[in-house]
Amino acid sequence: MTLKCDKCNKDAIIYQRYSGMHLCRKHFIEDVERKIKLTIRKHYSIKRNETIAIGLSGGKDSSTALHILHRIFGMRPDIRLVGISIDEGIEAYRPRTIKSARELTDELGVELIVRSFREEYGKTMDEIAPMKREKGACSYCGVLRKSLLNKTALEIGATRLAIGHNLDDEAQTILLNHLKGDVSRMVRMAPPDELEGLVLRMKPLRQIPEKEVALYAYLHGLPMGSGSCPYAHEAMRREIRALLNDLEVRHPGTKYALLSGFDKISGILGREYPQEGLSNCSICGQACTADICQTCKLLGKSG
Ligand code: SF4
């Protein structure tokens, strides 16, 4: 027997255990877009004449973020959307996703800027990874990518930098930071204050479970991401992901509860641990909290 949508009695395509609702295609899409619009209104009020850069990996999350931002703001002549893809130089993985990013931006008529580790840092991840086995490639790659995304967003005058983090990513990061006792990272997860040299981050998908992002992307023919990065090995995050997925099955709504609990205390965290002001890295000039930025330290430029 086909289950019916709780809103219109058409065939349901999804059952949301956390809400107890069966939804058809139309009402599922409406539900995702409503949550995203609410997130944007509540956390990132967009003003007139903003430039929103979207970190576009070409996978399902960032493609969905761009697709929905284009749906919401694409008709506004005062809002500019620009995709930024970072080519880390991972031959077995990245060229395909950048091709997907290019196809999507061409289809939507959105400008795409592609920047590479090779041009910016003189090295690719394929060259860096074998030398950085002790800490894992991701800790280097993440810092270098964030830095290049921010630098590129600043160069094009972006007022926002949207990234495709979904509910699962957010819940995992909150739990990971708790387990590591990393308060400063926790503070940085909250919607940030304006800091010169740092483009304001926005996460429009933070209320959408990963499976629903995948379904939304599939229903709209968006890139789903093919293959996985050969260097992906954040062991603790993998364990937390499995743990949260297991808890979500047995206690639906766990991921939402983690996020909403975090949102309630993030204001207090921000007051107790105010964000440090930024200065400029004495080597590359990028905004940072120390004399020398993380990127220059990781690239061994600090001597
Ligand atoms: Fe970079 Fe790690 Fe992501 Fe691969 S999995 S692209 S190394 S952060």
Side-chain angles (χ1 to χ4, degrees), residues 3 6 12-23 28 31 35 167 209 211-212 215 243-257:
L3 292 164
D6 287 311
I13 61 164
I14 185 170
Y15 174 53
Q16 292 176 330
R17 294 192 67 203
Y18 59 84
S19 71
M21 299 281 283
H22 292 91
L23 296 174
F28 165 69
D31 186 63
K35 283 178 186 149
L167 173 67
K211 282 185 184 155
E212 295 189 24
L215 179 57
L243 173 73
L244 278 174
N245 285 342
D246 185 40
L247 283 170
E248 185 68 35
V249 169
R250 289 186 288 121
H251 308 282
T254 296
K255 293 172 189 171
Y256 275 118

Side-chain angles (χ1 to χ4, degrees), residues 7-299:
K7 295 200 173 190
C8 69
N9 219 28
K10 287 206 176 113
D11 289 353
I13 61 164
I14 185 170
Y15 174 53
Q16 292 176 330
R17 294 192 67 203
Y18 59 84
S19 71
M21 299 281 283
H22 292 91
L23 296 174
C24 65
R25 176 191 169 108
K26 173 176 176 279
H27 286 111
F28 165 69
I29 290 171
E30 272 181 19
D31 186 63
V32 169
E33 293 180 354
R34 178 186 58 82
K35 283 178 186 149
I36 291 174
K37 283 179 189 160
L38 256 174
T39 299
I40 294 174
R41 211 173 306 139
K42 187 169 167 201
H43 294 286
Y44 320 104
S45 61
I46 303 293
K47 301 178 197 74
R48 293 179 63 80
N49 302 316
E50 295 225 27
T51 293
I52 304 175
I54 298 107
L56 194 60
S57 70
K60 68 178 188 321
D61 299 302
S62 59
S63 300
T64 299
L66 171 63
H67 174 90
I68 294 187
L69 289 173
H70 184 260
R71 244 172 133 104
I72 299 172
F73 298 111
M75 299 300 282
R76 293 250 316 251
D78 61 317
I79 301 284
R80 178 182 170 217
L81 298 177
V82 183
I84 302 177
S85 292
I86 303 296
D87 179 356
E88 303 93 342
I90 304 172
E91 203 45 46
Y93 170 60
R94 192 50 86 204
R96 274 171 295 163
T97 68
I98 289 188
K99 183 169 173 275
S100 301
R102 198 173 288 290
E103 284 166 3
L104 180 62
T105 46
D106 283 352
E107 192 187 315
L108 297 175
V110 168
E111 183 188 348
L112 176 70
I113 296 171
V114 181
R115 302 289 307 274
S116 71
F117 279 16
R118 153 97 49 221
E119 274 166 25
E120 183 67 21
Y121 306 123
K123 291 180 185 129
T124 65
M125 270 315 290
D126 284 337
E127 289 161 349
I128 296 171
M131 300 183 281
K132 307 294 179 191
R133 291 193 197 283
E134 57 322 332
K135 272 183 121 181
C138 295
S139 31
Y140 288 81
C141 184
V143 170
L144 302 187
R145 187 180 48 241
K146 269 187 216 155
S147 169
L148 187 49
L149 263 177
N150 185 66
K151 184 177 177 200
T152 312
L154 278 173
E155 282 167 4
I156 61 166
T159 48
R160 308 275 168 165
L161 175 56
I163 52 173
H165 284 197
N166 58 46
L167 173 67
D168 292 50
D169 297 321
E170 289 293 89
Q172 287 160 22
T173 307
I174 291 165
L175 192 53
L176 197 59
N177 289 338
H178 270 295
L179 295 176
K180 289 184 173 175
D182 197 335
V183 179
S184 61
R185 270 182 200 267
M186 209 112 73
V187 171
R188 291 207 298 270
M189 281 190 74
D193 300 332
E194 291 208 28
L195 289 173
E196 203 183 324
L198 219 54
V199 180
L200 282 176
R201 289 280 176 108
M202 65 187 281
K203 300 174 186 170
L205 308 186
R206 74 197 290 276
Q207 295 277 353
I208 313 296
E210 182 170 14
K211 282 185 184 155
E212 295 189 24
V213 175
L215 179 57
Y216 185 97
Y218 172 75
L219 293 173
H220 289 85
L222 298 172
M224 302 292 290
S226 46
S228 54
C229 174
Y231 307 123
H233 96 152
E234 248 195 296
M236 194 161 176
R237 183 175 284 270
R238 246 200 328 262
E239 284 172 39
I240 286 176
R241 181 189 162 102
L243 173 73
L244 278 174
N245 285 342
D246 185 40
L247 283 170
E248 185 68 35
V249 169
R250 289 186 288 121
H251 308 282
T254 296
K255 293 172 189 171
Y256 275 118
L258 255 179
L259 183 61
S260 85
F262 170 76
D263 283 348
K264 282 179 197 142
I265 60 164
S266 69
I268 303 167
L269 274 176
R271 281 193 297 280
E272 288 292 315
Y273 302 91
Q275 287 182 17
E276 294 169 61
L278 298 180
S279 54
N280 294 98
C281 170
S282 57
I283 298 175
C284 72
Q286 282 238 60
C288 65
T289 51
D291 261 6
I292 296 171
C293 71
Q294 269 299 95
T295 307
C296 287
K297 283 182 194 159
L298 289 179
L299 291 170

